[in-house]
Amino acid sequence: DAGVIQSPRHEVTEMGQEVTLRCKPISGHNSLFWYRQTMMRGLELLIYFNNNVPIDDSGMPEDRFSAKMPNASFSTLKIQPSEPRDSAVYFCASSLSGGYNEQFFGPGTRLTVL
Amino acid sequence: AQTVTQSQPEMSVQEAETVTLSCTYDTSESDYYLFWYKQPPSRQMILVIRQEAYKQQNATENRFSVNFQKAAKSFSLKISDSQLGDAAMYFCAYMWEYGNKLVFGAGTILRVKS
């Protein structure tokens, strides 16, 4: 299995631009998670989906952030407009739902907003 | 709210020696899981070991073992025979029953000296 795939691996953009991060979960996994890692706040959960449905988006910082999962094999995290404080590493993870199943993490996308 | 605390921002160990990383957590739940993740410089999040709260026996994975003290809400990681490849950031994480969400500590940087 290829594992969780994220693209791009690095993104540099200017303040005010729209940014879209992409994630392909492991085939067969039906839970998907978006995390953000910063020096100040550490690793924090932004949103998670179960069977393509958003279950908990309480970690999404503000309306500039949105996430979608149109099908079982693809999810996006969009920031519009982006701000310098959005600079972080964004991780996608997937797992089987139900019980305590291991979450498998993608390699992350390092976002820099100038 | 569930919180995870790692009080050691950084630790050092001599190659082949043993080191223990500390973690405490706060929860009112009775059933939950605890995890240790490793994040090397590559950024990839790697599951090291996990412990189910209802199990008295401490989990062990090769050179990695935990000391789980449920009453004290303590979950430390012991690395025996430390190797250069163990150098990384280590995160303690908590998942509660049916929650599917991981709550991470701030992390401990482990340096291994040759």
Side-chain angles (χ1 to χ4, degrees):
Chain A
D1 200 320
V4 176
I5 298 172
Q6 290 187 248
S7 65
R9 292 293 308 274
H10 303 272
E11 177 80 28
V12 180
T13 190
E14 293 189 348
M15 183 174 62
Q17 296 298 306
E18 177 180 297
V19 175
T20 299
L21 310 181
R22 297 173 175 79
C23 175
K24 177 179 170 54
I26 291 173
S27 178
H29 283 184
N30 52 358
S31 288
L32 184 138
F33 308 81
W34 282 101
Y35 292 90
R36 180 171 68 175
Q37 184 177 25
T38 61
M39 289 292 291
M40 292 297 293
R41 299 177 66 90
L43 269 161
E44 51 183 349
L45 178 69
L46 299 178
I47 185 171
Y48 86 93
F49 295 83
N50 196 34
N51 293 320
N52 312 337
V53 177
I55 302 300
D56 185 347
D57 65 355
S58 59
M60 297 286 263
E62 47 197 280
D63 291 346
R64 298 183 298 106
F65 285 71
S66 62
K68 293 182 179 180
M69 192 163 187
N71 57 62
S73 59
F74 184 65
S75 177
T76 58
L77 178 67
K78 184 180 294 186
I79 308 172
Q80 165 64 16
S82 58
E83 297 182 3
R85 60 194 169 116
D86 301 331
S87 298
V89 178
Y90 291 82
F91 286 99
C92 176
S94 72
S95 74
L96 293 169
S97 64
Y100 303 92
N101 292 304
E102 179 184 348
Q103 292 183 19
F104 293 82
F105 283 75
T109 295
R110 179 177 292 281
L111 172 65
T112 302
V113 183
L114 303 174
Chain B
Q2 290 82 358
T3 58
V4 178
T5 302
Q6 293 179 250
S7 59
Q8 306 154 317
E10 190 169 327
M11 293 283 285
S12 291
V13 63
Q14 200 69 34
E15 200 174 5
E17 298 294 308
T18 295
V19 65
T20 297
L21 308 184
S22 301
C23 173
T24 59
Y25 58 95
D26 187 24
T27 183
S28 57
E29 302 289 333
S30 59
D31 200 9
Y32 48 86
Y33 266 51
L34 296 163
F35 304 82
W36 279 98
Y37 278 86
K38 170 184 177 181
Q39 186 179 42
S42 66
R43 281 202 321 249
Q44 184 68 52
M45 294 288 287
I46 302 164
L47 179 64
V48 174
I49 197 167
R50 69 178 184 181
Q51 174 79 41
E52 298 135 64
Y54 67 88
K55 286 191 176 179
Q56 301 254 357
Q57 188 173 4
N58 289 324
T60 299
E61 289 287 343
N62 300 314
R63 298 182 296 107
F64 298 87
S65 61
V66 299
N67 183 5
F68 174 50
Q69 302 290 328
K70 190 172 184 178
K73 295 181 181 175
S74 170
F75 182 61
S76 60
L77 174 69
K78 186 172 81 171
I79 306 174
S80 304
D81 185 25
S82 297
Q83 300 174 0
L84 294 177
D86 295 333
M89 176 82 91
Y90 286 81
F91 291 96
C92 179
Y94 165 98
M95 179 190 289
W96 64 95
E97 187 177 14
Y98 305 122
N100 267 45
K101 299 189 291 187
L102 283 169
V103 176
F104 288 91
T108 297
I109 297 171
L110 177 66
R111 304 193 191 281
V112 181
K113 302 175 185 175
S114 59

